[in-house]
């Protein structure tokens, strides 16, 4: 067996070690399954090697070859498991050298074909390569731990989506209870839309979780394979080393939380009575800006109708999704503005420090860079000396209300005191991106129903 190679026991069709070999009348041997597949494909009973037609539909098994294959496999496995030195399949010499360019063990005879390559004794290169793979293994283990942590966040997001949907449904029902019977059909349609979005968002997160599970499973399998490889002898280790390193380098990036994963609550609660009760405008108020809870800092608590916000100074149990502010106690309006004129009044009398205006959709909400660019606002802080900047204007007097007028096409954002009809400040800018109203408050602020003139 020592003088034979794997090729001597390989099927000419599948190129693998023979499995249940049969012998044809032409004396060629083929795996039984490979022969049947070949005959089904060609629709003729001929030898896959010499194309000679077979005289038998069921060629007899080649028991001698089968026994030889089994002996070869057994001897090879015993040789591998015993940790004995590997033999070069081409020259039957011991593999004691390693080519750094080809990253393969070689024998003394093979070295002649590696004239321009750097060749080192296996005992010299084995420790460094093993240490390299061990470092990669630790990296994968840390990555697995990180992915498991991400999975927990994804699962918490799924629960939050369910909680959002349940809370939103309760609010929908409470508002519809105030309406007459003829509005119940509209109520049902709105609830159905919410449930469809809930299922869509839960399905999206389910797919994310499945992707995460596949990612974790793949990492686990890679780690397991590498752990097994770390137990192998030095030659086996070095043979598989390039493939293992490639597997590490080609590992897929971690799945990320998708933007827009949460329920779009304002779609159902924002101006709900006004939208469905146009014929009842005398009893229904319209609030020009609806707050988006998916953007609110964790310390902020929004009212059920999404028109007021207060700072609780305590983190709420909500996900840290990509849309949410994580540094400043800010929240955005739910609708972007990219044309026309818009106006809204904000009640700020219950807040000792406040800031409001507009910002671009792309402005950074994570970290403390939000106010550095793409913000046009006025602010007040009773504990801070007024100082203005290019896009921020301080209000020196404590106000009850602030009116914001945005003329997108005209390129202006104006602020005034609607109580005294006093102009505060106007910013001029050529807007090219979608703008969102934003609100910052140390205590409580409220958007008022308004018909701006």
């Amino acid at each position: 067996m020592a003088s034979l190679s794997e090729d001597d026991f390989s099927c000419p069709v599948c190129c693998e070690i023979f499995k249940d070999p049969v012998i044809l009348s032409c004396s060629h041997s083929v795996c039984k399954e490979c022969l049947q597949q070949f005959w089904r494909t060609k629709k003729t009973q001929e030898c896959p090697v010499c194309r000679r037609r077979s005289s038998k539909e069921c060629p007899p098994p080649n028991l001698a070859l089968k026994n030889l294959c089994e002996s070869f496999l057994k001897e090879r496995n015993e040789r591998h498991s015993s940790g004995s030195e590997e033999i070069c399949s081409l020259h039957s010499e011991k593999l004691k050298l390693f080519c750094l360019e080809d990253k393969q063990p070689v024998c003394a005879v093979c070295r002649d074909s590696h004239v321009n390559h750097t060749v080192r004794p296996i005992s010299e290169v084995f420790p460094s390569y093993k240490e390299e793979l061990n470092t990669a293994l630790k990296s994968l283990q840390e990555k697995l731990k990180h992915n498991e942590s991400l999975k927990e966040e994804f699962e918490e997001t799924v629960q939050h989506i369910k909680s959002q949907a349940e809370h939103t449904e309760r609010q929908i029902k409470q508002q519809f209870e105030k309406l007459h019977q003829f509005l119940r059909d509209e109520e049902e349609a709105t609830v159905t839309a919410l449930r469809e979005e809930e299922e869509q968002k839960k399905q999206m997160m389910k797919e994310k979780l499945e992707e995460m599970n596949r990612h974790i499973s793949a990492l686990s399998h890679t780690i397991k394979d590498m752990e097994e490889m770390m137990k192998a002898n030095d030659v086996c280790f070095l043979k598989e080393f390039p493939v293992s390193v490639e597997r590490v380098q080609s590992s897929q990036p971690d799945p990320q939380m998708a933007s827009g994963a949460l329920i779009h609550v304002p779609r159902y609660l924002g101006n709900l009575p006004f939208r469905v009760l146009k014929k009842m405008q005398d009893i229904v108020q319209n609030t020009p800006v609806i707050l988006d809870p998916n953007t609110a800092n964790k310390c902020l608590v929004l009212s059920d109708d999404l028109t007021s916000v207060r700072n609780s100074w305590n983190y709420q149990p909500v996900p840290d999704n990509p849309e949410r502010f994580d540094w400043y106690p800010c929240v955005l309006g739910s609708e972007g503005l990219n044309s026309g004129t818009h106006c809204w009044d904000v009640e700020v009398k219950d807040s000792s420090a406040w800031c409001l205006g507009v910002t671009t959709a792309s402005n950074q909400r994570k970290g403390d860079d939000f106010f550095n660019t793409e913000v046009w606002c006025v602010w007040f802080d009773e504990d801070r000396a007024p100082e203005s900047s290019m896009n921020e204007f301080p209000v020196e007097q404590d106000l009850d209300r602030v009116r914001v007028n945005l003329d997108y096409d005209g390129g202006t954002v104006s602020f005034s005191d609607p109580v005294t009809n006093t102009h505060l400040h106007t910013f001029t800018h050529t807007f090219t991106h979608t703008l969102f109203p934003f609100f910052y408050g140390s205590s409580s602020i409220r958007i008022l129903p308004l018909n701006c003139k």
Side-chain angles (χ1 to χ4, degrees):
M1 289 295 179
S3 64
L4 298 175
S5 68
E6 185 173 315
D7 292 339
D8 296 313
F9 299 95
S10 298
C11 169
V13 177
C14 64
C15 298
E16 301 289 341
I17 300 296
F18 281 107
K19 297 178 181 177
D20 297 325
V22 295
I23 185 166
L24 300 171
S25 57
C26 59
S27 299
H28 288 121
S29 294
V30 186
C31 292
K32 181 179 180 180
E33 184 177 344
C34 292
L35 181 64
Q36 292 174 348
Q37 177 65 30
F38 182 81
W39 283 359
R40 283 195 298 269
T41 302
K42 296 295 185 180
K43 297 181 180 180
T44 178
Q45 295 180 1
E46 59 181 30
C47 173
V49 180
C50 65
R51 304 299 182 181
R52 179 178 173 181
R53 287 190 58 83
S54 174
S55 58
K56 299 179 180 180
E57 292 186 3
C58 298
N62 190 339
L63 297 179
L65 179 57
K66 181 178 181 181
N67 292 334
L68 281 172
C69 290
E70 292 175 350
S71 299
F72 174 78
L73 290 172
K74 181 178 179 182
E75 181 176 319
R76 187 178 67 177
N77 292 336
E78 289 175 352
R79 187 165 65 250
H80 288 177
S81 61
S82 66
S84 60
E85 292 182 306
E86 291 284 345
I87 303 298
C88 176
S89 61
L90 295 177
H91 309 110
S92 298
E93 295 286 338
K94 293 181 179 179
L95 297 170
K96 293 186 176 182
L97 303 173
F98 187 77
C99 176
L100 298 183
E101 277 75 9
D102 295 336
K103 298 191 183 301
Q104 288 293 332
V106 296
C107 70
V109 181
C110 290
R111 184 171 187 170
D112 294 337
S113 62
H114 295 259
V115 177
N116 297 322
H117 292 180
T118 304
V119 178
R120 294 285 184 270
I122 281 179
S123 59
E124 179 182 323
V125 300
F126 172 74
S128 61
Y129 278 114
K130 189 169 184 177
E131 179 60 28
E132 182 179 344
L133 193 61
N134 185 52
T135 302
L137 176 61
K138 291 180 180 178
S139 175
L140 284 179
Q141 290 169 337
E142 293 175 357
K143 193 169 187 175
L144 175 62
K145 185 177 180 180
H146 177 65
N147 275 266
E148 289 173 342
S149 176
L150 286 178
K151 179 182 177 182
E152 291 181 4
E153 292 182 14
F154 285 11
E155 290 172 341
E156 290 174 359
T157 300
V158 171
Q159 292 301 316
H160 183 71
I161 290 173
K162 181 179 179 181
S163 175
Q164 271 193 312
E166 292 172 349
H167 179 75
T168 304
E169 184 172 338
R170 285 196 299 271
Q171 295 305 309
I172 291 172
K173 291 181 178 296
Q174 289 176 9
Q175 293 195 38
F176 271 95
E177 284 300 320
K178 300 175 183 178
L179 306 178
H180 294 289
Q181 183 62 42
F182 75 92
L183 293 175
R184 294 197 182 277
D185 290 340
E186 180 68 20
E187 176 189 9
E188 185 62 27
T190 307
V191 172
T192 299
L194 168 66
R195 290 174 176 168
E196 288 176 353
E197 182 177 2
E198 177 192 4
E199 289 303 315
Q200 176 187 355
K201 296 298 176 62
K202 288 197 297 185
Q203 179 63 31
M204 180 174 68
M205 289 308 304
K206 180 180 178 181
E207 293 172 358
K208 278 287 183 182
L209 281 170
E210 291 174 351
E211 179 186 0
M212 177 61 72
N213 284 330
R214 290 193 299 270
H215 195 67
I216 290 176
S217 176
L219 285 174
S220 298
H221 280 92
T222 301
I223 290 173
K224 182 178 179 182
D225 291 343
M226 288 189 178
E227 290 173 341
E228 289 297 322
M229 182 178 169
M230 297 293 290
K231 301 175 183 177
N233 64 67
D234 50 0
V235 175
C236 293
F237 174 89
L238 291 172
K239 275 186 173 182
E240 297 299 325
F241 177 78
V243 176
S244 300
V245 171
E246 183 178 353
R247 289 177 66 183
V248 173
Q249 295 174 345
S250 62
S251 61
Q252 296 297 316
D254 297 338
Q256 300 297 316
M257 177 71 73
S259 296
L262 304 181
I263 297 294
H264 191 350
V265 179
R267 181 181 299 163
Y268 309 101
L269 298 182
N271 293 328
L272 179 61
F274 180 80
R275 289 187 291 109
V276 298
L277 298 178
K278 288 184 178 180
K279 295 181 180 180
M280 305 176 68
Q281 292 183 359
D282 291 340
I283 62 172
V284 175
Q285 293 180 323
N286 173 35
T287 304
V289 174
I290 297 299
L291 303 177
D292 184 354
N294 295 343
T295 67
N297 183 284
K298 288 186 176 184
C299 289
L300 300 182
V301 179
L302 275 60
S303 62
D304 287 338
D305 63 0
L306 306 178
T307 62
S308 66
V309 57
R310 63 179 178 85
N311 194 332
S312 68
W313 301 101
N314 292 309
Y315 279 171
Q316 306 301 307
V318 294
D320 186 21
N321 49 295
E323 301 90 344
R324 193 178 304 281
F325 286 90
D326 66 352
W327 183 272
Y328 291 108
C330 290
V331 60
L332 297 184
S334 62
E335 299 294 334
L337 311 173
N338 53 25
S339 65
T341 58
H342 308 271
C343 179
W344 57 94
D345 277 5
V346 185
E347 187 177 73
V348 295
K349 64 180 181 180
D350 294 327
S351 183
S352 59
W354 50 264
C355 181
L356 53 94
V358 295
T359 185
T360 59
S362 60
N363 195 4
Q364 181 59 251
R365 305 174 199 175
K366 303 296 184 183
D368 58 355
D369 290 332
F370 176 72
F371 286 100
N372 291 340
T373 58
E374 300 180 325
V375 169
W376 298 267
C377 63
V378 294
W379 62 273
F380 171 81
D381 190 338
E382 62 182 19
D383 297 324
R384 176 182 168 190
E387 54 180 312
S388 61
S389 64
M390 181 179 297
N391 294 336
E392 299 176 41
F393 182 81
V395 177
E396 297 185 8
Q397 68 273 31
D398 193 3
L399 303 177
D400 287 345
R401 298 181 183 183
V402 176
R403 175 167 293 176
V404 184
N405 278 281
L406 169 65
D407 183 352
Y408 187 97
D409 302 318
T412 62
V413 184
S414 296
F415 300 88
S416 61
D417 178 358
V419 177
T420 61
N421 198 24
T422 303
H423 175 259
L424 299 174
H425 189 73
T426 296
F427 293 103
T428 301
H429 185 82
T430 301
F431 301 115
T432 58
H433 297 88
T434 298
L435 300 179
F436 281 86
F438 84 90
F439 308 86
Y440 169 111
S442 63
S443 298
S444 176
I445 57 178
R446 182 167 67 101
I447 305 167
L448 301 172
L450 176 69
N451 288 322
C452 294
K453 298 181 180 179

